[in-house]
Every structure is written in structure tokens, then in C-alpha cells.
Amino acid sequence: MVPSQFVTYKVAKKLFDLNVISRATFLSFVKEFAKVMKGLRKEATITVDWDAVRDMFDFDDYADVVPINAANLCPSFHAVQEYVNQMGIDMNKDVSIQKRTSVFATIIDDARALIAQQLNISTAELAFMRNATEANNIINNGLDFNAGEEVVIWSENHGTNNRAWAIRQQRNPNINIITVGLTGATTDQEVINRFVARVKPGVTRVVTFSEISNESGLRIPSKDLCSAVHAVDPNVHVHVDGAQGWGVLEHDLQDMGCDSYAASAHKWFLGP
């Protein structure tokens, strides 16, 4: 049996107690999760049984492919996918408003509390959306601009961030888009200097960048950059696209100091 102190097990047990999943699905999850704990052993250094980890996914051993795609979509653990499927089936069995408000709303609230704790923010600061693209665009369309104000973007931002700003500029020609290139920058300080040089107090409204580039893999020093931008003008809204960071890096958003942060659960977080 999986030790009951693990949060993942507690969530699964709660779903079972709420009759969201069947006993068979719950026991199947316990079995799969036991493999996770067996594959990841904490010692002086972490020893990983990669064969056990691989067995937790539904990779096709006979397909002529190598499953390394994560910039676009990561596969979920088999046990997670079973849960998602089972909840869909249970919803079809009972589509009453009572089921949705008393059971599924509880699950969403629990998930929000767990993720908020992981990111060190309050639950009121966390919103669930379909993906980071939608989150980026809500920030884009949710801000008001005065004539002549500027948005500073990184040339390697994901297209769903930069293209959205280009569209916003077409709709509001009074917005100026300033693009920062990092070619030749070899240190964190040089990266920060490139951005800060384009920030104008009282003129720059937004600075937005991908935490990790999906093109080159370059990682921006997010905390130091947020601090440097706010030192020039604390009113600048710094938005971080963390689609390639969440699930790979440990995050404390309060410590990072960004004004907003977007991420995708279906990438490195290995979620649905």
C-alpha cells in the first residue's frame, strides 16, 4: 500500500470516497503510484529506475518514434489518464448540477489549493484556463493602454505571446511594440541589461518574456529581470510565460516578483 502521507494518494482517496472513481480505478492508481515511489528513491543522491519510470507511460514500444516531445505536449502518466477517463465516464452517468457542484467543484478547489501552495501564492491569485496561450491572451487583452505606451517583448517569446501583441497593436495603433534581441549576450547581467535598456519610466506599460525559450532553450533570469524592471519603474507590468518552466523548475512566484505568470499543465507538469 502507498503511504497515506503522500498528497497524491490523499487526492485519489478523496475521489474514491466521493464516488467519483470506482474501487477498481482507485486500486489501479495505488498500484501505478507505488511504481512511482519505487522508481524514485531519495538517498544521498536521487537514484532513478528509468525503466520503471518509462513503464508508467503508454509509449508504443513498436512504433518507430522517440518520445521526447515536451515543448508542445507531454504525455500523462497512465494512472492520470485512467483517472481523467473515469471522471468523464462518471460525469456521463450523472450530469446533475448536484454532481458538478458538490463533487467536481470540490476537486477543482482542491487542485487550486495544491497548485497555489506549490507556487507560493493565494488561491485567489490562481485561475485555471485551457492552456498558457489563453492565459497570455487574457493578460494581453485585460490591460488598458494610453496613447504612446510601449510593450517590451523578447524576440524568442512563444508565437502565441508575440503574435497576440501584434494583433493587439493592429487593433490599438497607439501601442508601440519594442522587441529585444539577445544575440551575443552571454551572461545573465547582459540579458538583463538588454531588457532594462528598453524600459522607459512612465512610457513602458508591459515587459513580457518566456521563462525558457521553446526555440533555443535559453533560460531567462526571471527573478533578477523582474527586480531590475521594477527598479526602473515599479508600475511596469511584468508578465512571464512559464509554459516551458512549470514542472521543470521549482517556483516561488512571490519571490520571483512577476506581476502575472502563465503556464501549461499538459507540458512538463505531465498533467491532463
Coordinates of all heavy atoms in Angstrom, one line a residue, residues 70-164:
A70 N 8.2 17.7 -25.6 CA 7.7 18.3 -24.4 C 7.4 19.8 -24.6 O 6.6 20.3 -23.9 CB 8.7 18.1 -23.3
A71 N 8.0 20.4 -25.7 CA 7.7 21.8 -25.9 C 6.3 22.0 -26.3 O 5.8 23.1 -26.1 CB 8.7 22.3 -27.0
N72 N 5.7 21.0 -26.9 CA 4.3 21.1 -27.4 C 3.3 20.3 -26.4 O 2.3 20.9 -26.0 CB 4.2 20.6 -28.8 CG 2.7 20.6 -29.3 OD1 2.0 21.6 -29.1 ND2 2.3 19.5 -30.0
L73 N 3.6 19.1 -26.2 CA 2.7 18.2 -25.4 C 3.5 17.1 -24.7 O 4.3 16.4 -25.4 CB 1.7 17.6 -26.3 CG 0.7 16.6 -25.7 CD1 -0.2 17.4 -24.7 CD2 -0.2 16.0 -26.8
C74 N 3.3 16.9 -23.4 CA 3.9 15.8 -22.7 C 2.8 14.8 -22.5 O 1.6 15.1 -22.2 CB 4.4 16.2 -21.4 SG 6.0 17.0 -21.4
P75 N 3.1 13.5 -22.6 CA 2.0 12.5 -22.2 C 1.9 12.4 -20.7 O 2.8 12.7 -20.0 CB 2.7 11.2 -22.7 CG 4.1 11.4 -22.7 CD 4.3 12.9 -23.0
S76 N 0.6 12.2 -20.3 CA 0.4 12.0 -18.9 C 0.8 10.6 -18.4 O 0.9 9.7 -19.3 CB -1.1 12.2 -18.6 OG -1.5 13.5 -18.9
F77 N 1.0 10.4 -17.1 CA 1.1 9.0 -16.6 C -0.1 8.2 -16.9 O -1.2 8.8 -17.0 CB 1.3 9.1 -15.1 CG 2.6 9.7 -14.7 CD1 2.7 10.8 -13.9 CD2 3.8 9.0 -15.0 CE1 3.9 11.4 -13.5 CE2 5.0 9.6 -14.6 CZ 5.1 10.8 -13.8
H78 N 0.0 6.9 -17.1 CA -1.1 6.1 -17.4 C -2.2 6.2 -16.3 O -3.4 6.3 -16.6 CB -0.6 4.6 -17.5 CG -1.8 3.7 -17.7 ND1 -2.4 3.5 -18.9 CD2 -2.4 2.8 -16.8 CE1 -3.4 2.6 -18.8 NE2 -3.4 2.2 -17.5
A79 N -1.7 6.2 -15.1 CA -2.7 6.3 -14.0 C -3.5 7.6 -14.0 O -4.7 7.7 -13.7 CB -2.0 6.2 -12.7
V80 N -2.8 8.7 -14.4 CA -3.5 10.0 -14.5 C -4.6 10.0 -15.7 O -5.7 10.4 -15.5 CB -2.5 11.1 -14.8 CG1 -3.2 12.5 -15.1 CG2 -1.6 11.3 -13.6
Q81 N -4.2 9.4 -16.8 CA -5.1 9.3 -17.9 C -6.3 8.4 -17.6 O -7.4 8.7 -17.9 CB -4.4 8.7 -19.1 CG -5.2 8.8 -20.4 CD -5.6 10.2 -20.8 OE1 -4.8 11.1 -20.9 NE2 -6.9 10.5 -20.9
E82 N -6.1 7.3 -16.8 CA -7.2 6.5 -16.4 C -8.2 7.3 -15.5 O -9.4 7.2 -15.6 CB -6.7 5.3 -15.6 CG -6.2 4.1 -16.4 CD -6.1 2.9 -15.5 OE1 -5.8 3.0 -14.3 OE2 -6.3 1.8 -16.1
Y83 N -7.6 8.2 -14.6 CA -8.5 9.0 -13.8 C -9.3 10.0 -14.6 O -10.5 10.1 -14.3 CB -7.6 9.7 -12.8 CG -7.6 9.1 -11.4 CD1 -7.0 7.8 -11.3 CD2 -8.1 9.7 -10.3 CE1 -7.0 7.2 -10.1 CE2 -8.1 9.0 -9.1 CZ -7.5 7.8 -9.0 OH -7.5 7.2 -7.8
V84 N -8.7 10.6 -15.6 CA -9.4 11.6 -16.4 C -10.5 10.9 -17.2 O -11.6 11.3 -17.2 CB -8.4 12.2 -17.4 CG1 -9.2 13.1 -18.4 CG2 -7.4 13.1 -16.7
N85 N -10.2 9.7 -17.7 CA -11.2 8.9 -18.4 C -12.4 8.5 -17.5 O -13.5 8.6 -17.9 CB -10.6 7.7 -19.1 CG -9.6 8.0 -20.1 OD1 -9.5 9.1 -20.6 ND2 -8.8 7.0 -20.5
Q86 N -12.0 8.1 -16.3 CA -13.0 7.6 -15.4 C -13.9 8.8 -14.9 O -15.2 8.6 -14.8 CB -12.4 7.0 -14.2 CG -13.3 6.3 -13.2 CD -14.1 5.2 -13.8 OE1 -13.6 4.3 -14.5 NE2 -15.5 5.2 -13.7
M87 N -13.4 9.9 -14.7 CA -14.2 11.1 -14.3 C -15.1 11.5 -15.5 O -16.3 11.9 -15.2 CB -13.3 12.2 -13.9 CG -12.7 12.1 -12.5 SD -11.9 13.5 -11.8 CE -10.3 13.4 -12.6
G88 N -14.7 11.4 -16.7 CA -15.5 11.7 -17.8 C -16.7 10.7 -17.9 O -17.8 11.1 -18.2
I89 N -16.4 9.4 -17.7 CA -17.5 8.4 -17.7 C -18.5 8.6 -16.5 O -19.7 8.6 -16.7 CB -16.8 7.0 -17.5 CG1 -16.1 6.6 -18.8 CG2 -17.9 5.9 -17.3 CD1 -15.2 5.4 -18.7
D90 N -17.9 9.0 -15.4 CA -18.8 9.2 -14.2 C -19.7 10.4 -14.4 O -20.8 10.5 -14.0 CB -18.0 9.4 -12.9 CG -17.5 8.1 -12.4 OD1 -17.9 7.0 -12.9 OD2 -16.6 8.1 -11.5
M91 N -19.1 11.4 -15.1 CA -19.9 12.6 -15.4 C -21.1 12.2 -16.4 O -22.2 12.7 -16.2 CB -19.1 13.7 -16.1 CG -19.8 14.9 -16.6 SD -20.6 15.9 -15.3 CE -19.2 16.9 -14.8
N92 N -20.8 11.4 -17.3 CA -21.9 10.9 -18.3 C -23.0 10.2 -17.5 O -24.1 10.2 -17.9 CB -21.3 10.1 -19.4 CG -20.5 10.9 -20.4 OD1 -20.7 12.1 -20.5 ND2 -19.6 10.3 -21.1
K93 N -22.6 9.4 -16.5 CA -23.6 8.7 -15.8 C -24.5 9.5 -14.9 O -25.6 9.2 -14.7 CB -22.8 7.7 -14.8 CG -22.1 6.5 -15.6 CD -21.4 5.6 -14.6 CE -20.8 4.5 -15.3 NZ -20.0 3.6 -14.3
D94 N -23.9 10.7 -14.5 CA -24.7 11.6 -13.6 C -24.4 13.0 -14.0 O -23.3 13.5 -13.5 CB -24.5 11.3 -12.2 CG -25.3 12.2 -11.2 OD1 -26.0 13.1 -11.8 OD2 -25.2 12.0 -10.0
V95 N -25.2 13.6 -14.8 CA -24.9 15.0 -15.3 C -25.6 16.1 -14.5 O -25.7 17.2 -14.9 CB -25.2 15.2 -16.8 CG1 -24.3 14.3 -17.6 CG2 -26.7 14.9 -17.0
S96 N -26.1 15.7 -13.3 CA -26.8 16.6 -12.5 C -26.0 17.8 -12.0 O -24.8 17.6 -11.8 CB -27.4 15.9 -11.3 OG -26.4 15.4 -10.4
I97 N -26.6 18.9 -11.8 CA -25.9 20.0 -11.2 C -25.4 19.7 -9.8 O -24.3 20.3 -9.4 CB -26.9 21.3 -11.2 CG1 -26.1 22.5 -10.8 CG2 -28.0 21.1 -10.2 CD1 -25.1 22.9 -11.9
Q98 N -26.1 18.8 -9.1 CA -25.6 18.5 -7.8 C -24.2 17.8 -7.9 O -23.3 18.0 -7.0 CB -26.6 17.6 -7.1 CG -27.9 18.2 -6.7 CD -28.9 18.3 -7.8 OE1 -28.6 17.9 -8.9 NE2 -30.1 18.8 -7.5
K99 N -24.1 16.9 -8.9 CA -22.8 16.2 -9.0 C -21.7 17.2 -9.3 O -20.6 17.1 -8.8 CB -22.9 15.1 -10.1 CG -21.7 14.3 -10.4 CD -21.4 13.3 -9.2 CE -20.3 12.3 -9.5 NZ -20.7 11.3 -10.5
R100 N -22.0 18.1 -10.2 CA -21.0 19.1 -10.6 C -20.6 20.0 -9.5 O -19.4 20.3 -9.3 CB -21.4 19.9 -11.8 CG -21.3 19.1 -13.1 CD -21.8 19.9 -14.3 NE -23.2 19.9 -14.4 CZ -24.0 20.8 -15.0 NH1 -23.4 21.9 -15.5 NH2 -25.3 20.7 -15.0
T101 N -21.5 20.5 -8.7 CA -21.2 21.5 -7.7 C -20.7 20.8 -6.4 O -19.8 21.4 -5.7 CB -22.5 22.3 -7.3 OG1 -23.5 21.5 -6.9 CG2 -22.9 23.1 -8.5
S102 N -21.2 19.7 -6.0 CA -20.8 19.1 -4.8 C -19.5 18.2 -4.9 O -18.8 18.0 -3.9 CB -21.9 18.2 -4.2 OG -22.2 17.1 -5.0
V103 N -19.3 17.7 -6.1 CA -18.1 16.7 -6.3 C -17.1 17.4 -7.2 O -15.9 17.6 -6.7 CB -18.6 15.4 -6.9 CG1 -17.4 14.5 -7.2 CG2 -19.6 14.7 -6.0
F104 N -17.4 17.7 -8.4 CA -16.3 18.2 -9.3 C -15.8 19.6 -8.9 O -14.7 19.9 -9.0 CB -16.8 18.2 -10.7 CG -16.9 16.8 -11.3 CD1 -18.0 16.1 -11.3 CD2 -15.7 16.3 -11.8 CE1 -18.1 14.8 -11.9 CE2 -15.7 15.0 -12.4 CZ -16.9 14.3 -12.4
A105 N -16.7 20.4 -8.3 CA -16.2 21.7 -7.9 C -15.3 21.6 -6.7 O -14.3 22.3 -6.6 CB -17.4 22.6 -7.4
T106 N -15.5 20.5 -5.9 CA -14.6 20.3 -4.7 C -13.3 19.8 -5.3 O -12.2 20.2 -4.7 CB -15.2 19.1 -3.9 OG1 -16.5 19.6 -3.3 CG2 -14.3 18.8 -2.7
I107 N -13.2 19.0 -6.3 CA -12.0 18.6 -6.9 C -11.2 19.7 -7.4 O -10.0 19.9 -7.2 CB -12.3 17.5 -8.0 CG1 -12.9 16.3 -7.4 CG2 -11.0 17.2 -8.7 CD1 -13.4 15.3 -8.5
I108 N -11.9 20.7 -8.1 CA -11.2 21.8 -8.7 C -10.6 22.7 -7.6 O -9.5 23.2 -7.7 CB -12.2 22.6 -9.6 CG1 -12.5 21.8 -10.8 CG2 -11.6 24.0 -9.9 CD1 -13.6 22.4 -11.7
D109 N -11.4 22.9 -6.5 CA -10.9 23.7 -5.4 C -9.7 23.1 -4.7 O -8.8 23.8 -4.3 CB -12.0 23.9 -4.4 CG -13.1 24.9 -4.8 OD1 -12.8 25.6 -5.8 OD2 -14.2 24.9 -4.2
D110 N -9.7 21.7 -4.6 CA -8.6 21.0 -4.0 C -7.4 21.2 -4.9 O -6.2 21.4 -4.4 CB -8.9 19.5 -3.8 CG -9.8 19.3 -2.7 OD1 -10.1 20.2 -1.9 OD2 -10.4 18.1 -2.6
A111 N -7.6 21.1 -6.2 CA -6.4 21.2 -7.1 C -5.9 22.7 -7.1 O -4.7 22.9 -7.1 CB -6.9 20.9 -8.5
R112 N -6.8 23.6 -7.0 CA -6.3 25.0 -6.9 C -5.5 25.3 -5.7 O -4.5 25.9 -5.7 CB -7.5 26.0 -6.9 CG -7.1 27.4 -6.9 CD -8.3 28.4 -6.9 NE -8.9 28.4 -8.3 CZ -10.1 27.9 -8.6 NH1 -10.8 27.2 -7.7 NH2 -10.5 27.9 -9.8
A113 N -5.9 24.7 -4.5 CA -5.2 24.9 -3.3 C -3.8 24.2 -3.3 O -2.8 24.8 -2.9 CB -6.0 24.3 -2.1
L114 N -3.7 23.0 -3.9 CA -2.5 22.4 -4.1 C -1.5 23.1 -4.9 O -0.3 23.3 -4.6 CB -2.7 20.9 -4.6 CG -3.3 19.9 -3.6 CD1 -3.7 18.7 -4.4 CD2 -2.4 19.6 -2.5
I115 N -2.0 23.6 -6.1 CA -1.1 24.3 -7.0 C -0.7 25.7 -6.4 O 0.5 26.1 -6.6 CB -1.8 24.5 -8.4 CG1 -1.9 23.1 -9.0 CG2 -1.0 25.4 -9.3 CD1 -2.8 23.1 -10.3
A116 N -1.6 26.4 -5.8 CA -1.3 27.6 -5.2 C -0.2 27.5 -4.1 O 0.7 28.3 -4.0 CB -2.5 28.3 -4.5
Q117 N -0.3 26.4 -3.3 CA 0.7 26.1 -2.3 C 2.1 25.8 -3.0 O 3.1 26.3 -2.5 CB 0.3 24.9 -1.5 CG 1.3 24.5 -0.4 CD 0.9 23.3 0.4 OE1 0.1 22.5 -0.1 NE2 1.3 23.2 1.6
Q118 N 2.1 25.1 -4.1 CA 3.3 24.8 -4.8 C 4.0 26.1 -5.4 O 5.2 26.2 -5.3 CB 3.0 23.9 -6.0 CG 4.2 23.4 -6.8 CD 3.9 23.0 -8.2 OE1 3.1 23.6 -8.9 NE2 4.5 21.8 -8.5
L119 N 3.1 27.0 -5.8 CA 3.7 28.2 -6.4 C 3.8 29.4 -5.4 O 4.3 30.5 -5.8 CB 2.7 28.7 -7.5 CG 2.6 27.7 -8.7 CD1 1.6 28.3 -9.7 CD2 3.9 27.5 -9.4
N120 N 3.4 29.1 -4.2 CA 3.5 30.1 -3.1 C 2.7 31.4 -3.4 O 3.2 32.5 -3.3 CB 5.0 30.5 -2.8 CG 5.1 31.3 -1.4 OD1 4.3 31.1 -0.5 ND2 6.1 32.1 -1.3
I121 N 1.5 31.2 -3.8 CA 0.5 32.2 -4.0 C -0.8 31.9 -3.3 O -1.0 30.8 -2.8 CB 0.3 32.5 -5.5 CG1 -0.2 31.2 -6.2 CG2 1.5 33.0 -6.1 CD1 -0.6 31.4 -7.6
S122 N -1.7 32.8 -3.2 CA -3.0 32.5 -2.6 C -3.9 31.9 -3.7 O -3.7 32.1 -4.9 CB -3.6 33.8 -2.1 OG -4.0 34.7 -3.2
T123 N -4.9 31.2 -3.3 CA -5.9 30.6 -4.2 C -6.6 31.7 -5.0 O -7.0 31.4 -6.1 CB -6.9 29.7 -3.5 OG1 -7.5 30.5 -2.4 CG2 -6.2 28.5 -2.8
A124 N -6.8 32.9 -4.4 CA -7.5 33.9 -5.1 C -6.6 34.5 -6.3 O -7.2 35.1 -7.2 CB -7.8 35.1 -4.2
E125 N -5.4 34.2 -6.3 CA -4.5 34.7 -7.4 C -4.3 33.7 -8.5 O -3.6 34.0 -9.5 CB -3.1 35.0 -6.8 CG -3.1 36.1 -5.8 CD -1.7 36.3 -5.1 OE1 -1.3 35.4 -4.4 OE2 -1.1 37.3 -5.4
L126 N -5.0 32.5 -8.4 CA -4.8 31.4 -9.3 C -6.1 31.2 -10.1 O -7.1 31.0 -9.6 CB -4.4 30.2 -8.6 CG -4.2 28.9 -9.5 CD1 -3.1 29.1 -10.5 CD2 -4.0 27.7 -8.6
A127 N -6.0 31.2 -11.4 CA -7.1 30.9 -12.3 C -6.7 29.7 -13.2 O -5.6 29.7 -13.8 CB -7.5 32.1 -13.1
F128 N -7.7 28.8 -13.4 CA -7.5 27.7 -14.3 C -8.0 28.1 -15.7 O -9.1 28.5 -15.9 CB -8.2 26.4 -13.8 CG -7.6 25.8 -12.6 CD1 -8.3 25.0 -11.8 CD2 -6.2 25.9 -12.4 CE1 -7.8 24.4 -10.7 CE2 -5.6 25.3 -11.3 CZ -6.4 24.5 -10.5
M129 N -7.2 27.8 -16.7 CA -7.6 28.0 -18.1 C -7.2 26.8 -18.9 O -6.6 25.9 -18.4 CB -6.9 29.3 -18.6 CG -7.4 30.5 -17.9 SD -6.3 32.0 -18.1 CE -6.8 32.9 -16.7
R130 N -7.4 26.8 -20.2 CA -7.2 25.7 -21.0 C -5.7 25.5 -21.3 O -5.2 24.4 -21.5 CB -8.0 25.7 -22.3 CG -9.5 25.5 -22.1 CD -10.3 25.7 -23.3 NE -10.3 27.2 -23.6 CZ -11.0 27.7 -24.6 NH1 -11.8 26.9 -25.3 NH2 -11.0 29.0 -24.9
N131 N -5.0 26.6 -21.4 CA -3.5 26.5 -21.7 C -2.9 27.8 -21.5 O -3.5 28.8 -21.2 CB -3.3 26.0 -23.2 CG -4.2 26.8 -24.1 OD1 -4.3 28.0 -24.1 ND2 -4.9 26.1 -25.0
A132 N -1.5 27.9 -21.7 CA -0.8 29.1 -21.5 C -1.1 30.1 -22.5 O -1.1 31.3 -22.3 CB 0.7 28.8 -21.5
T133 N -1.5 29.7 -23.7 CA -1.9 30.6 -24.8 C -3.1 31.5 -24.3 O -3.1 32.7 -24.5 CB -2.3 29.9 -26.1 OG1 -1.1 29.2 -26.5 CG2 -2.8 30.8 -27.1
E134 N -4.1 30.8 -23.8 CA -5.3 31.5 -23.3 C -4.9 32.5 -22.2 O -5.4 33.6 -22.1 CB -6.3 30.5 -22.8 CG -7.7 31.2 -22.5 CD -8.7 30.1 -22.3 OE1 -8.6 29.3 -21.4 OE2 -9.7 30.1 -23.1
A135 N -4.0 32.0 -21.3 CA -3.6 32.9 -20.2 C -2.8 34.1 -20.6 O -3.0 35.2 -20.2 CB -2.7 32.1 -19.2
N136 N -1.9 33.9 -21.6 CA -1.2 35.0 -22.2 C -2.1 36.1 -22.8 O -1.9 37.3 -22.6 CB -0.2 34.5 -23.3 CG 1.0 33.8 -22.7 OD1 1.4 34.1 -21.6 ND2 1.6 32.9 -23.5
N137 N -3.1 35.6 -23.5 CA -4.0 36.5 -24.2 C -5.0 37.2 -23.2 O -5.4 38.3 -23.5 CB -4.8 35.7 -25.2 CG -4.0 35.5 -26.5 OD1 -4.1 36.3 -27.4 ND2 -3.3 34.4 -26.6
I138 N -5.3 36.6 -22.1 CA -6.1 37.3 -21.1 C -5.3 38.5 -20.5 O -5.9 39.5 -20.3 CB -6.6 36.3 -20.0 CG1 -7.7 35.4 -20.5 CG2 -7.0 37.1 -18.7 CD1 -8.2 34.4 -19.6
I139 N -4.0 38.3 -20.2 CA -3.2 39.4 -19.8 C -3.1 40.5 -20.9 O -3.3 41.7 -20.6 CB -1.8 38.9 -19.4 CG1 -1.8 37.9 -18.3 CG2 -0.9 40.1 -19.1 CD1 -2.4 38.5 -17.0
N140 N -2.9 40.0 -22.1 CA -2.8 40.9 -23.3 C -4.1 41.8 -23.4 O -4.0 43.0 -23.5 CB -2.6 40.1 -24.5 CG -2.5 40.9 -25.8 OD1 -3.4 41.8 -26.1 ND2 -1.5 40.6 -26.6
N141 N -5.2 41.2 -23.4 CA -6.5 41.9 -23.6 C -7.1 42.5 -22.3 O -8.0 43.3 -22.4 CB -7.5 41.0 -24.2 CG -7.2 40.6 -25.7 OD1 -7.3 41.4 -26.6 ND2 -6.7 39.4 -25.9
G142 N -6.5 42.2 -21.2 CA -7.0 42.7 -19.9 C -6.4 44.0 -19.4 O -6.8 44.5 -18.4
L143 N -5.4 44.5 -20.2 CA -4.7 45.7 -19.8 C -5.2 46.9 -20.7 O -5.3 46.7 -21.9 CB -3.2 45.5 -19.9 CG -2.6 44.5 -18.9 CD1 -1.1 44.2 -19.3 CD2 -2.7 45.0 -17.5
D144 N -5.3 48.0 -20.0 CA -5.7 49.2 -20.8 C -4.4 50.0 -21.1 O -3.4 50.0 -20.3 CB -6.6 50.1 -20.0 CG -7.9 49.5 -19.7 OD1 -8.4 48.8 -20.7 OD2 -8.5 49.6 -18.7
F145 N -4.4 50.7 -22.2 CA -3.2 51.5 -22.7 C -3.6 52.9 -23.0 O -4.6 53.2 -23.5 CB -2.6 50.8 -23.9 CG -1.9 49.5 -23.6 CD1 -2.6 48.3 -23.6 CD2 -0.5 49.5 -23.4 CE1 -2.0 47.1 -23.3 CE2 0.1 48.3 -23.1 CZ -0.6 47.1 -23.1
N146 N -2.6 53.8 -22.7 CA -2.7 55.2 -23.1 C -1.9 55.3 -24.4 O -1.0 54.5 -24.7 CB -2.2 56.1 -22.1 CG -3.1 56.1 -20.8 OD1 -4.3 56.0 -20.9 ND2 -2.4 56.0 -19.6
A147 N -2.2 56.4 -25.2 CA -1.5 56.6 -26.4 C 0.0 56.7 -26.2 O 0.4 57.4 -25.3 CB -2.0 57.9 -27.1
G148 N 0.8 56.0 -27.0 CA 2.2 56.1 -26.9 C 2.9 55.1 -25.9 O 4.1 55.1 -25.9
E149 N 2.1 54.4 -25.2 CA 2.7 53.5 -24.2 C 3.3 52.3 -25.0 O 2.9 51.9 -26.1 CB 1.7 53.0 -23.2 CG 1.3 54.1 -22.2 CD 0.4 53.6 -21.1 OE1 -0.4 52.7 -21.3 OE2 0.6 54.1 -19.9
E150 N 4.3 51.6 -24.3 CA 5.0 50.6 -25.0 C 5.0 49.3 -24.3 O 4.8 49.2 -23.1 CB 6.5 51.1 -25.2 CG 6.7 52.3 -26.0 CD 8.1 52.8 -26.1 OE1 9.0 52.3 -25.3 OE2 8.4 53.7 -26.9
V151 N 5.1 48.2 -25.2 CA 5.2 46.8 -24.7 C 6.6 46.3 -25.1 O 6.9 46.3 -26.3 CB 4.1 46.0 -25.3 CG1 4.2 44.5 -24.8 CG2 2.7 46.5 -24.8
V152 N 7.4 45.8 -24.2 CA 8.7 45.3 -24.5 C 8.6 43.8 -24.5 O 8.1 43.1 -23.5 CB 9.7 45.7 -23.4 CG1 11.1 45.0 -23.7 CG2 9.9 47.2 -23.4
I153 N 8.9 43.2 -25.7 CA 8.8 41.7 -25.8 C 10.1 41.2 -26.2 O 11.0 41.9 -26.8 CB 7.7 41.3 -26.9 CG1 8.2 41.9 -28.3 CG2 6.4 41.9 -26.6 CD1 7.3 41.5 -29.4
W154 N 10.4 39.9 -25.9 CA 11.6 39.2 -26.3 C 11.4 38.6 -27.7 O 10.3 38.0 -28.0 CB 11.9 38.1 -25.3 CG 13.2 37.3 -25.6 CD1 14.2 37.7 -26.3 CD2 13.4 36.0 -25.1 NE1 15.2 36.7 -26.3 CE2 14.7 35.7 -25.6 CE3 12.7 35.1 -24.3 CZ2 15.3 34.4 -25.3 CZ3 13.3 33.9 -24.0 CH2 14.6 33.5 -24.5
S155 N 12.4 38.6 -28.5 CA 12.3 38.1 -29.9 C 12.0 36.6 -29.9 O 11.4 36.1 -30.9 CB 13.5 38.4 -30.7 OG 14.7 37.8 -30.1
E156 N 12.4 35.9 -28.8 CA 12.2 34.5 -28.8 C 11.0 34.1 -27.9 O 10.8 32.9 -27.6 CB 13.4 33.7 -28.2 CG 14.6 33.7 -29.2 CD 15.7 32.7 -28.8 OE1 15.4 31.7 -28.1 OE2 16.8 33.0 -29.1
N157 N 10.1 35.0 -27.6 CA 8.9 34.6 -27.0 C 8.1 33.7 -27.8 O 8.2 33.7 -29.1 CB 8.0 35.9 -26.8 CG 8.4 36.7 -25.6 OD1 9.2 36.3 -24.8 ND2 7.8 37.9 -25.4
H158 N 7.3 32.8 -27.2 CA 6.5 31.9 -28.0 C 5.5 32.7 -28.9 O 5.1 33.8 -28.5 CB 5.6 31.0 -27.0 CG 5.0 29.9 -27.7 ND1 3.7 30.0 -28.2 CD2 5.4 28.6 -28.0 CE1 3.3 28.8 -28.8 NE2 4.4 28.0 -28.7
G159 N 5.3 32.2 -30.0 CA 4.4 32.9 -31.0 C 3.1 33.3 -30.5 O 2.6 34.4 -30.9
T160 N 2.5 32.5 -29.6 CA 1.2 32.9 -29.1 C 1.2 34.1 -28.2 O 0.2 34.6 -27.8 CB 0.6 31.7 -28.3 OG1 1.5 31.3 -27.2 CG2 0.3 30.5 -29.2
N161 N 2.4 34.5 -27.7 CA 2.6 35.7 -26.9 C 2.8 36.8 -27.9 O 2.1 37.8 -27.9 CB 3.7 35.5 -25.9 CG 3.7 36.6 -24.9 OD1 3.1 37.6 -25.0 ND2 4.5 36.4 -23.9
N162 N 3.9 36.7 -28.7 CA 4.3 37.8 -29.6 C 3.2 38.1 -30.7 O 3.0 39.3 -31.0 CB 5.6 37.6 -30.2 CG 6.8 37.8 -29.2 OD1 6.5 38.2 -28.1 ND2 8.0 37.6 -29.7
R163 N 2.7 37.1 -31.3 CA 1.7 37.3 -32.3 C 0.4 38.0 -31.7 O -0.2 38.8 -32.4 CB 1.3 36.0 -33.0 CG 2.3 35.6 -34.0 CD 1.7 34.6 -35.0 NE 1.3 33.3 -34.3 CZ 2.1 32.3 -34.1 NH1 3.3 32.3 -34.6 NH2 1.6 31.2 -33.5
A164 N 0.1 37.7 -30.5 CA -1.1 38.3 -29.8 C -0.8 39.8 -29.6 O -1.8 40.6 -29.8 CB -1.3 37.6 -28.5

